[in-house]
Amino acid sequence: MIYGYIRVSTDKQTVENQRFEIVSFCERQGLEIDGWIEETISGTKNYTKRKLGDLLEKIVEDDLIVCAELSRLGRNLFMIMEILHICMKKNCKVWTIKDNYRLGARLFHLKLS
């Protein structure tokens, strides 16, 4: 499954920009989003109190979470690292667009003779 994750902090922000970025990125990569998680909540709130926590409970190996940037997952490095650790233990992938982060991307090295 491929999930698009969108988080905005206030009612004044909209999800459209992040959705557009994710959709455009996935089109370029030949990916199709199977499910969207959208929430309006501060990134300082623990992920277990957000829809992200529910997503982290249900993801399985080879699932992919696509978000605009790492800061959408949380507002401090410790929380982001904890979320990424959960994904690593479940062998799922997290890809961000703006900061070009790829957790779980398989890299292939060519052997030149």
Side-chain angles (χ1 to χ4, degrees), residues 40-58:
T40 302
I41 192 168
S42 170
T44 59
K45 294 283 186 194
N46 193 293
Y47 65 88
T48 60
K49 307 283 189 228
R50 298 189 266 142
K51 292 178 186 176
L52 178 60
D54 296 334
L55 175 61
L56 293 174
E57 284 184 16
K58 76 176 186 178

Side-chain angles (χ1 to χ4, degrees), residues 2-87:
I2 300 174
Y3 298 96
Y5 177 72
I6 297 171
R7 183 188 60 78
V8 294
S9 300
T10 66
D11 291 332
K12 294 177 185 171
Q13 295 175 322
T14 64
V15 299
E16 282 92 27
N17 288 342
Q18 289 179 52
R19 181 182 282 274
F20 176 78
E21 285 183 70
I22 293 170
V23 167
S24 297
F25 171 80
C26 287
E27 285 175 355
R28 289 191 307 272
Q29 301 297 316
L31 303 172
E32 187 174 324
I33 298 290
D34 298 306
W36 289 94
I37 294 82
E38 297 179 9
E39 52 190 346
T40 302
I41 192 168
S42 170
T44 59
K45 294 283 186 194
N46 193 293
Y47 65 88
T48 60
K49 307 283 189 228
R50 298 189 266 142
K51 292 178 186 176
L52 178 60
D54 296 334
L55 175 61
L56 293 174
E57 284 184 16
K58 76 176 186 178
I59 55 172
V60 296
E61 186 171 354
D62 289 327
D63 281 354
L64 169 61
I65 300 170
V66 180
C67 57
E69 54 192 311
L70 279 173
S71 67
R72 300 298 86 208
L73 298 176
R75 271 293 164 205
N76 66 59
L77 185 58
F78 180 75
M79 185 186 301
I80 292 170
M81 290 177 67
E82 186 175 352
I83 292 165
L84 295 175
H85 181 73
I86 291 167
C87 293

Side-chain angles (χ1 to χ4, degrees), residues 6 33 49 91 98 104 106-107:
I6 297 171
I33 298 290
K49 307 283 189 228
N91 290 317
K98 287 183 181 177
R106 291 180 177 90
L107 300 176

